[in-house]
Amino acid sequence: QVQLVESGGGLVQPGGSLRLSCAASGFTFSYYFMSWYRQAPGKERELVASISTTGWPTYPQSVKGRFTISRDNAKNTMYLQMNSLKPEDTAVYYCDTMVSGLRYWGQGTQVTVSS
């Protein structure tokens, strides 16, 4: 079955960096579009970054220039490099994909940006 497992979250000071990973299994990873979402307390889940099967990234304005999405199809893993982190980046971060018409999320990894 499809599984997505996020890791790499933690507590970081404003201006710091973190690298998130999403390990995928149960489907042919290289064939599928992948995304990172985040959800802060009391807010709706929002798109953070997406990456095509060929590695083409897209970002919302809120993270453009600070976050970099990438994928390693040989390792079935997607990454999110987050630099210049701000307190408003605090959220649970999820990786996401859609396989055979069904949407899948991981369990999430908490990112807290605080001094």
Side-chain angles (χ1 to χ4, degrees):
Q1 71 277 20
V2 173
Q3 275 198 308
L4 301 170
V5 180
E6 301 93 338
S7 61
L11 173 65
V12 63
Q13 291 188 343
S17 298
L18 280 175
R19 189 193 195 205
L20 307 184
S21 299
C22 171
S25 61
F27 65 106
T28 307
F29 178 76
S30 61
Y31 287 6
Y32 291 90
F33 191 91
M34 299 291 297
S35 298
W36 284 99
Y37 282 76
R38 67 186 179 189
Q39 187 166 22
K43 294 189 176 182
E44 292 187 357
R45 196 168 291 196
E46 65 170 343
L47 177 67
V48 174
S50 295
I51 189 165
S52 73
T53 57
T54 56
W56 189 261
T58 56
Y59 308 96
Q61 198 59 41
S62 59
V63 307
K64 194 173 288 186
R66 300 189 298 123
F67 290 9
T68 302
I69 190 172
S70 62
R71 65 192 297 162
D72 186 336
N73 288 339
K75 295 183 178 179
N76 291 347
T77 303
M78 177 176 65
Y79 304 98
L80 185 68
Q81 177 67 41
M82 304 187 295
N83 298 329
S84 302
L85 283 161
K86 305 175 181 180
E88 52 264 42
D89 295 318
T90 294
V92 179
Y93 284 69
Y94 300 89
C95 58
D96 165 277
T97 192
M98 186 170 285
V99 177
S100 300
L102 296 177
R103 196 166 191 181
Y104 294 90
W105 306 92
Q107 83 290 348
T109 186
Q110 176 70 48
V111 172
T112 302
V113 185
S114 175
S115 55

